[in-house]
Amino acid sequence: MGALSPRVGSALPDFDLYTLEEDEITISSGAVLSGITQGTGEHLVGETITLNSNSFQVVTITDNDDYFADNDGNQSLTNPVTYNGVSFAAGTDVEAEYTLTLEDPDGNRYTLMGFNINEPGTNPSYRTVEGLAFLDDFPPVGVPLTVVSNSEGPRQNETLYTEYFVPPCFTEGTRIDTPDGPIAVEDLRAGDLVLTLDHGAQPVRWVGHVTFTRQQLQDDARLRPVLLEFDGRRLIVSPQHRVFFGGWSAQMACGEDVLVSAKHIAEAGRARVLSPEEIDDDGVRYWHILFDRHEVVFSEGIPTESFCPGQETRASLPDAHAEFERFFPALQTSETGFVTARRCATRHEARLVAEAF
């Protein structure tokens, strides 16, 4: 997994940004992301955008500040990348061309940015918007999302890199329930059985991990783990990791059982983001466990989600991707990846559920 964290070893800090290429989306009326008469995204208002996958392209950006903005000549590709099948050299300028607000059929709203790689010789630059970047939450896959508003930018000093979406995972040492009792996530191996909420004991297909240093966690608050405490049980996960909520609180808030991200539980005052001082000198190692389908497992006795393919890509987990395709051949051509075990609650719903729990 990549990170929205600055690498301070170079002359200028680098940031990883999770983006979705235009090849991975469908826009109604044959529209495209590139600006037609303006670089404001106004040509997309009223259209629907459907995300055909959550297979992110992780792009590393060198910047002289902490903000990803429009019309900033100090933002460039740190490394060469292939995007929508086109190769771009290191040092090519990039920007957040415009902001879009999208709404799903249930009325939930999401904020997206037009990700622009400025191709040499192209003028104006907004004619070459190549993908999307996501603030806070990643929208549902396979659902037509209506563009309800647009705006220029973001402007300088407006949207931090740390405000962009980062995928979820477990922290090292988390005990996962198995038929033989709880086992630390890092001790699980492919083939081991794990207890799931919906399908009983299921075999693990793949286990992976990534490490963030204490300095990275200090520099980037969005990477810091979240401490959850329910009925005497204690669990530490990444901010995007989702917890299963069922029963009356979920039914009242959402009309069904849902998955709620740890960061939204923290926003509701029912969890806490760890400070850098509480983190070990060696940093934090986050772990993923993969099954034949997206599952709800029991971590420290708390029902939480497993890894959902498509939330990491060839760029973010290159050594693992061949394993994914070997275990799951359909993922080579799948447009949607795995379906989540339960609907994922919006930020507003998450607050209601967590506050009522």
Side-chain angles (χ1 to χ4, degrees), residues 43-355:
H43 65 291
L44 296 172
V45 174
E47 303 290 350
T48 63
I49 295 178
T50 303
L51 311 182
N52 297 324
S53 80
N54 50 7
S55 293
F56 297 128
Q57 169 73 295
V58 183
V59 180
T60 304
I61 300 172
T62 299
D63 200 342
N64 67 342
D65 59 41
D66 297 331
Y67 298 87
F68 188 49
D70 188 17
N71 297 318
D72 185 342
N74 295 305
Q75 300 167 168
S76 63
L77 296 174
T78 306
N79 307 304
V81 301
T82 299
Y83 210 89
N84 295 315
V86 179
S87 297
F88 296 93
T92 304
D93 288 343
V94 295
E95 58 184 328
E97 187 62 50
Y98 48 69
T99 303
L100 300 176
T101 301
L102 276 61
E103 185 175 276
D104 68 20
D106 295 325
N108 304 310
R109 293 194 171 190
Y110 307 88
T111 304
L112 283 64
M113 302 293 184
F115 176 68
N116 187 350
I117 303 176
N118 294 341
E119 298 178 61
T122 301
N123 186 38
S125 63
Y126 58 73
R127 293 190 180 276
T128 66
V129 177
E130 283 80 19
L132 297 171
F134 307 89
L135 288 183
D136 193 37
D137 287 331
F138 186 71
V141 170
V143 176
L145 307 167
T146 302
V147 181
V148 295
S149 67
N150 71 290
S151 63
E152 179 79 33
R155 298 182 297 272
Q156 297 279 352
N157 302 323
E158 182 176 45
T159 305
L160 291 161
Y161 283 96
T162 53
E163 295 181 59
Y164 286 83
F165 175 81
V166 178
C169 34
F170 291 107
T171 55
E172 185 158 302
T174 300
R175 294 175 299 174
I176 309 297
D177 284 0
T178 77
D180 298 319
I183 296 178
V185 64
E186 64 269 23
D187 293 331
L188 290 172
R189 298 292 183 269
D192 290 348
L193 294 178
V194 166
L195 296 178
T196 69
L197 178 65
D198 299 315
H199 304 104
Q202 292 293 311
V204 173
R205 296 303 188 187
W206 175 83
V207 180
H209 66 81
V210 65
T211 301
F212 296 119
T213 67
R214 187 175 183 182
Q215 184 64 54
Q216 287 176 307
L217 296 167
Q218 183 171 338
D219 291 337
D220 189 345
R222 286 198 75 200
L223 297 175
R224 296 174 195 165
V226 175
L227 170 62
L228 303 158
E229 294 182 286
F230 297 126
D231 298 328
R233 293 166 292 175
R234 190 173 185 270
L235 173 66
I236 302 176
V237 294
S238 67
Q240 293 285 355
H241 206 106
R242 291 174 292 209
V243 179
F244 171 86
F245 279 83
W248 68 269
S249 60
Q251 292 293 329
M252 287 186 62
C254 307
E256 59 185 314
D257 298 343
V258 290
L259 294 168
V260 180
S261 68
K263 66 175 183 177
H264 290 161
I265 299 172
E267 290 172 359
R270 296 302 311 275
R272 182 171 61 83
V273 179
L274 296 184
S275 67
E277 292 72 28
E278 297 176 277
I279 296 170
D280 187 84
D281 289 343
D282 294 330
V284 171
R285 179 168 288 178
Y286 286 124
W287 289 81
H288 311 279
I289 55 174
L290 176 69
F291 298 90
D292 287 333
R293 62 178 70 83
H294 190 232
E295 299 279 8
V296 174
V297 301
F298 299 91
S299 50
E300 300 298 339
I302 298 172
T304 57
E305 68 172 329
S306 67
F307 177 67
C308 193
Q311 292 182 345
E312 308 294 342
T313 65
R314 292 171 175 84
S316 57
L317 287 173
D319 294 336
H321 196 85
E323 293 184 66
F324 292 167
E325 294 188 345
R326 185 167 67 251
F327 286 125
F328 311 99
L331 291 182
Q332 298 181 45
T333 57
S334 171
E335 293 185 347
T336 59
F338 280 16
V339 175
T340 55
R342 296 293 189 281
R343 183 171 69 82
C344 302
T346 65
R347 169 180 277 173
H348 174 69
E349 290 174 329
R351 281 182 172 274
L352 295 177
V353 173
E355 288 170 354

